Amino acid sequence: MTFIRRAVSAAAAAAVVLVATSADFASATGGEQSYIAADGTIQGCVNSSGHLRLVEVGSACRSHEQSVTWAQTGQEGPAGPKGDTGAKGDTGDQGPAGPAGRQGDTGAQGPAGPTGSQGPAGAPGLAGVHVVTVSKNVGVLDVVDVAATCPDGEIATGGGWYLPGSDAQSYGSELHSNPILSGTTPVGWTAGFLNGGYEPYYTASVYAICAKTG
């Protein structure tokens, strides 16, 4: 029992200081380091005097020795407690605004762009604007249509009618007033009149504003 206690004590002491003969040490520190097992533990034997010698992995100790092993690196200790968080410092005062930078120099003028493509031709303008007027007598109780037509090749841009004198206007009545169309193109103006009792007749006039196109 005494021998076992001494062997264990010697193994503990060997974790700090190894006591070995020069021959043992030379053998144990060879190039292959065969006394270190695959799991990293070191193999050794302790005699009754407490002397430790390193041995190759798997080798048996002598009859008066006790086999011991120990690790090269100790076990990792538990993590220490987390330190206190430092107090947040006060926010510093805002610094003064810096001076305004100088205005940059005007850049060089860029080159002129290419000429754009020509746009489509505009609609034909009007030329030779003039008024065509046609007058007709409207007898008592007559209904008469009066038409003012533009010359061939011209269009009507507007038109209207009128009665001369206040008496004619008192007895006369305009029944309709509208452009004369050739298809969808206005080519004149027409109006219809009724003489309600002006004797012997009154004269009604219709006009068209005509112009050439192109």
Side-chain angles (χ1 to χ4, degrees), residues 147-201:
T149 305
C150 297
D152 290 343
E154 296 183 0
I155 64 171
T157 62
W161 61 272
Y162 63 90
L163 297 177
S166 59
D167 290 340
Q169 294 174 11
S170 299
Y171 289 93
S173 176
E174 176 263 330
L175 302 178
H176 66 84
S177 178
N178 53 272
I180 300 172
L181 299 179
S182 174
T184 58
T185 303
V187 293
W189 203 269
T190 182
F193 301 93
L194 168 66
N195 185 344
Y198 186 79
E199 294 198 10
Y201 58 84

Side-chain angles (χ1 to χ4, degrees), residues 102-110:
R102 73 175 187 87
Q103 183 175 349
D105 298 332
T106 302
Q109 181 176 352

Side-chain angles (χ1 to χ4, degrees), residues 3 33-34 46 52 54 60-61 84 98-99 123 138 141 145 149 154 171 190:
F3 173 75
Q33 294 186 339
S34 57
V46 180
L52 171 68
L54 303 180
C61 292
D84 297 334
V138 183
L141 302 180
D145 282 337
T149 305
E154 296 183 0
Y171 289 93
T190 182

Side-chain angles (χ1 to χ4, degrees), residues 74-174:
Q75 296 181 351
E76 182 177 357
K82 182 178 180 180
D84 297 334
T85 302
K88 182 178 179 180
D90 297 333
T91 302
D93 298 333
Q94 182 175 351
R102 73 175 187 87
Q103 183 175 349
D105 298 332
T106 302
Q109 181 176 352
T115 302
S117 57
Q118 182 175 353
L126 299 178
V129 178
H130 61 102
V131 177
V132 174
T133 302
V134 175
S135 299
K136 283 187 178 182
N137 295 329
V138 183
V140 178
L141 302 180
D142 279 351
V143 175
V144 176
D145 282 337
V146 183
T149 305
C150 297
D152 290 343
E154 296 183 0
I155 64 171
T157 62
W161 61 272
Y162 63 90
L163 297 177
S166 59
D167 290 340
Q169 294 174 11
S170 299
Y171 289 93
S173 176
E174 176 263 330

